[in-house]
Amino acid sequence: MSAVTPVLLSHPCIKKREAPIMVPSDLPYPCSLVFNAGVIKYRGEYVMIFRNDYGTNRAAYENENKRFAGTSVGVARSKNGVDGWRFDPVPLMDSNDPDKDPEMKRLYDPRVIQIEDKLYLCLAMDTRHGIRGCIAELSEDLRSYQIISASVPENRNMVLFPEKIGGEYVRLERPMPVYSRGRDRFDIWLSRSPDLVYWGRSELVLAVEDVPFANDKIGPTASPIRTERGWLTLFHAVDREEDRGKNGWEKTWKKRYTAGLMLLDPENPAKVLSVYKEPLIAPDRPVETDEGFRQNVIFPCGMLLEDDGEVKIYYGASDTCVCLATADVNDLLALLP
Ligand code: BMA
């Protein structure tokens, strides 16, 4: 494993909102951690779909070995995408739902996107026989869903492009080839589909060894944004250090998660036009480095382009709360010559 820089900072064009925009005590039902949220603009408001791990707290976790009782995926809506979140009264999906398929253990890390007039949610699905990446179609009121496609294990971190490209649906994804690549040497791939159900013509997009600030694995984060130069695309990057020790609730947490930036070809998004060689967003504030369940983790699942050129990036901080960073789209593109 190659060494990476001990201290990593976000690029100065990234403006982080000082306080998290959602914390566990905001939810109307039990919540230990709220994080990794996708966001879209839908029917005149912002809709956030977030992950909630519930059923323990730091003291019970550390002193009584009390683990999380479950994971749910919930929905909240806001007029401005920043505050005033109104929560749907019950989660959209819950790992303790008695009616769920017993093969499926839980769904998590939701990335929501609208394509034409339909809403879709990409999710990671833990099953008794491995982790599968799946796509669900959401009802118009966001109160129900139907899984329309699930990969074979091991795959997750799927994101859909917001429109068809060359007449096909396109997704980024992150298979986990442990057998042939060694532990956690994971890369970003792209697949295409005529109908969102059958996926194929898969191609490697970006490999972990192409990212200087990753020594472990990389993966997709949020649906890419179309710009005049191509698809503006975030990815997450992980570096592992064996002696990071205890930094969070667990006895040891060895990884750091940052976010990188790349530009993909507008017509053939399997082709990388440019990669920014440093992290765009790094865990560099106390809420990201010194507090929370898994410290030194920032994990974006949502990115939106506003009419005035502001890009909103929604990310989970320390697997504990939801934070918001913004940047000007032209400043981001300037990093990708
Ligand atoms: C990944 C996913 C994310 C999580 C991250 C850091 O493997 O499980 O949900 O944010 O690890 O713990």
Side-chain angles (χ1 to χ4, degrees), residues 219-234:
T221 58
S223 289
I225 288 174
R226 181 185 268 291
T227 72
E228 75 278 1
R229 288 188 40 222
W231 292 101
L232 189 65
T233 307
L234 281 177

Side-chain angles (χ1 to χ4, degrees), residues 35-36 51 108-109 156 217 253 257 294 297 299 319:
F35 62 114
N36 297 2
R51 167 175 172 177
Y108 56 102
D109 291 355
R156 71 175 168 197
K217 60 185 174 181
W253 170 242
Y257 277 66
R294 285 183 170 168
V297 173
F299 197 91
D319 284 1

